[in-house]
Amino acid sequence: ASEPIWTVHVEVRLASKARRRLDTVQDLVRDFITSSFERLSLPSVLGGWEVDQTLASSVERIAVSESSCPSTSLSLNEISLQIHTYQPSENDTVEEYANGSGDGGEGGLAASVSELPCRSWEGLWEGLIYADNIKLKLLDYIYATIILSDANVDFNLVSWNRVVLLHGPPGTGKTSLCRALAQKLSIRLSHRYTQARLLEINSHSLFSRWFSESGKLVQRLFNSIMEMVEDEDCFVVVLIDEVESLTAARAAAMAGTEPSDGLRVVNALLTQLDKLKHRRNVLVMSTSNLAKAIDSAFVDRADIIQYVDNPPREAIYEILRSSLCEFVLKGIVQEVSVPPLEDVLATEKHGWHSGTRLSEEIIDPSHAQKDKIGKALLGLADKCREQSLSGRALRRLPVLALARYIGTGVGASSIPTSLSPTRLSSKSALQ
Ligand code: ADP
């Protein structure tokens, strides 16, 4: 039996000044990979391409993506390479919609449009760490619906609404995950869609108070979505954040505190969403912190309802590890090697100081240090788990730790001198 062939996506970020033909660059990247590697690690960032003049002048980064294949490394003859080139846009927001309340901007920014892929969301995907492959599952699912619409599958036989709902406790990365997915899709679909845009609707601002204003705004928003969608070369992602606000608006309408305006706005939004389901170049993503409170009419429309929880021990370890590695990379803490989770778990399982470990330590004392760091970080991960810390709280933890360290007085002097004058100029700068 022949080996299964896995599709491996390679994402090539082009330099902003790159003017080469895309297919030329793709061919060069393919040649480079096939001639330089026997195996690829998934995921990984490739190096060594700089020696090729053309690649050096047109490419910034070549990254091999993770895949649903169970092993983390594949031999090239088990791989079918899909090479995607993209040039991230430099500007974040291209258009904004405010909910015109007039008095001090109570309504806030109700929506904004960004060009994708954009530079500020580079690395967002990699930085989000979940336990059970949620990211890939979602990506595969969305990919599947895109294949179906591409194949012109009869909507009477197989149908879906192009709506994804992520719900779970606050700070678990739901909004970021939607943005990261949108960015990923814009890269992976770049051969089909020359443009991609993300329209973010903040339902909380949209439904905050001024329902009569909101009604007009919903209309305006969906008019612009329709305009974007008319262009079949443009892939449009609509992100509806805090979708539970819809329910609040409906409830207020029912209770009679807000005349039927509120209800009209919610209904208008749902009707507009229904119109989008026939457009193949659209995806609607939504988030909520309170699944129970989401309008049932909205939940009914979601094809995927994914619960996103606070990270478990393993994911916490990886989140903390990636923060610590960044500290090392930027010279904030002294150079140490932080072991990957598998190593720590293996050591934990076989006892921290089994015979083999001890002999390794004699050969290489850095092993002992690595073990110690791994063990300490895993202990910390356990503590964070006990307190059910969210991903957001975990990403903040290193800042608090550094601040406390500096606060003890020993910190300032042990921070590398190369950093102290500029980035960590004084104790007060951080406080
Ligand atoms: P939510 O929409 O669920 O409230 P956000 O998307 O606003 O959460 O998350 C805020 C930040 O918290 C993210 O940008 C990220 O830095 C961090 N974060 C949250 N969850 C995770 C996670 N699972 N892995 C890594 N970082 C996370």
Side-chain angles (χ1 to χ4, degrees):
S2 61
E3 296 276 332
I5 297 287
W6 298 94
T7 298
V8 169
H9 296 274
V10 178
E11 299 177 353
V12 181
R13 184 167 82 214
L14 300 173
S16 42
K17 57 185 191 312
R19 292 284 172 270
R20 295 277 167 180
R21 284 178 54 104
L22 293 186
D23 44 358
T24 314
V25 177
Q26 282 170 2
D27 288 344
L28 282 172
V29 170
R30 189 181 297 277
D31 291 346
F32 161 72
I33 292 177
T34 44
S35 62
S36 324
F37 299 93
E38 276 172 15
R39 302 185 71 80
L40 286 181
S41 301
L42 319 169
S44 61
V45 176
L46 302 182
W49 45 269
E50 300 85 348
V51 291
D52 181 296
Q53 286 270 312
T54 318
L55 286 180
S57 66
S58 358
V59 168
E60 268 181 9
R61 181 176 190 263
I62 302 182
V64 179
S65 296
E66 63 270 70
S67 104
S68 22
C69 139
S71 63
T72 52
S73 146
L74 284 173
S75 142
L76 272 194
N77 49 29
E78 303 169 89
I79 290 177
S80 148
L81 284 175
Q82 278 220 8
I83 300 183
H84 310 274
T85 43
Y86 68 103
Q87 208 161 22
S89 91
E90 302 291 338
N91 48 341
D92 293 359
T93 308
V94 290
E95 220 170 311
E96 289 182 343
Y97 301 82
N99 199 356
S101 59
D103 60 349
E106 178 116 8
L109 197 62
S112 60
V113 181
S114 330
E115 200 85 54
L116 295 182
C118 68
R119 189 155 303 259
S120 49
W121 291 343
E122 283 289 287
L124 191 58
W125 176 269
E126 292 77 15
L128 290 169
I129 299 163
Y130 294 101
D132 41 4
N133 244 349
I134 293 186
K135 292 193 296 183
L136 272 190
K137 270 198 277 186
L138 283 171
L139 190 61
D140 287 348
Y141 197 99
I142 295 166
Y143 227 60
T145 63
I146 289 168
I147 291 172
L148 292 177
S149 25
D150 251 10
N152 259 331
V153 168
D154 185 346
F155 234 65
N156 297 308
L157 303 178
V158 183
S159 75
W160 61 99
N161 293 311
R162 299 176 198 287
V163 178
V164 177
L165 170 64
L166 305 183
H167 67 101
T172 46
K174 298 177 294 296
T175 311
S176 312
L177 182 54
C178 289
R179 291 178 179 150
L181 272 164
Q183 173 102 340
K184 264 281 150 186
L185 286 169
S186 69
I187 296 170
R188 298 283 174 91
L189 298 175
S190 60
H191 58 288
R192 307 241 334 262
Y193 297 98
T194 49
Q195 261 200 54
R197 297 190 142 196
L198 173 72
L199 186 134
E200 278 190 52
I201 302 178
N202 182 321
S203 335
H204 184 68
S205 308
L206 188 57
F207 293 114
S208 61
R209 247 174 84 185
W210 305 93
F211 288 125
S212 53
E213 293 285 326
S214 301
K216 283 181 222 148
L217 194 52
V218 166
Q219 206 54 53
R220 244 177 71 211
L221 279 175
F222 278 86
N223 285 347
S224 21
I225 295 175
M226 279 304 174
E227 245 171 64
M228 286 186 227
V229 170
E230 284 303 324
D231 177 357
E232 292 193 346
D233 290 330
C234 183
F235 189 76
V236 181
V237 179
V238 180
L239 165 56
I240 310 179
D241 225 353
E242 304 183 42
V243 80
E244 66 271 9
S245 315
L246 255 78
T247 327
R250 199 193 279 269
M254 297 294 189
T257 48
E258 287 285 346
S260 55
D261 271 349
L263 199 57
R264 253 204 307 269
V265 178
V266 174
N267 287 340
L269 189 104
L270 295 175
T271 314
Q272 297 292 344
L273 279 181
D274 284 340
K275 284 194 197 151
L276 290 180
K277 79 173 182 197
H278 295 288
R279 302 305 190 118
R280 66 174 70 185
N281 50 338
V282 176
L283 173 72
V284 179
M285 283 197 259
S286 56
T287 73
S288 172
N289 293 332
L290 301 157
K292 283 204 191 82
I294 311 173
D295 202 281
S296 60
F298 186 89
V299 176
D300 278 348
R301 282 166 171 79
D303 303 316
I304 311 173
I305 302 175
Q306 173 72 51
Y307 182 66
V308 184
D309 203 355
N310 283 326
R313 179 190 198 217
E314 294 74 21
I316 296 177
Y317 183 91
E318 286 303 339
I319 293 173
L320 295 177
R321 180 175 121 86
S322 59
S323 297
L324 186 51
C325 289
E326 176 66 7
F327 269 14
V328 172
L329 186 73
K330 299 292 157 72
I332 312 275
V333 300
Q334 82 184 72
E335 184 118 13
V336 288
S337 130
V338 196
L341 182 68
E342 303 82 64
D343 291 8
V344 188
L345 292 180
T347 319
E348 189 186 38
K349 203 166 143 200
H350 300 119
W352 290 101
H353 288 288
S354 66
T356 51
R357 282 282 147 186
L358 267 180
S359 59
E360 274 172 18
E361 275 167 29
I362 294 163
I363 301 164
D364 178 6
S366 69
H367 258 290
Q369 192 200 29
K370 213 169 153 182
D371 266 8
K372 214 168 125 192
I373 291 173
K375 193 180 171 188
L377 207 57
L378 196 62
L380 184 59
D382 282 329
K383 277 196 194 141
C384 295
R385 182 61 205 159
E386 273 165 31
Q387 300 196 15
S388 298
L389 286 196
S390 70
R392 182 187 284 140
L394 289 166
R395 284 282 180 223
R396 195 163 41 213
L397 206 57
V399 185
L400 303 180
L402 180 64
R404 187 188 285 187
Y405 183 63
I406 291 172
T408 61
V410 288
S413 60
S414 51
I415 283 167
T417 45
S418 62
L419 277 178
S420 39
T422 48
R423 277 188 260 178
L424 289 173
S425 56
S426 70
K427 209 167 136 181
S428 58
L430 267 176
Q431 285 166 345

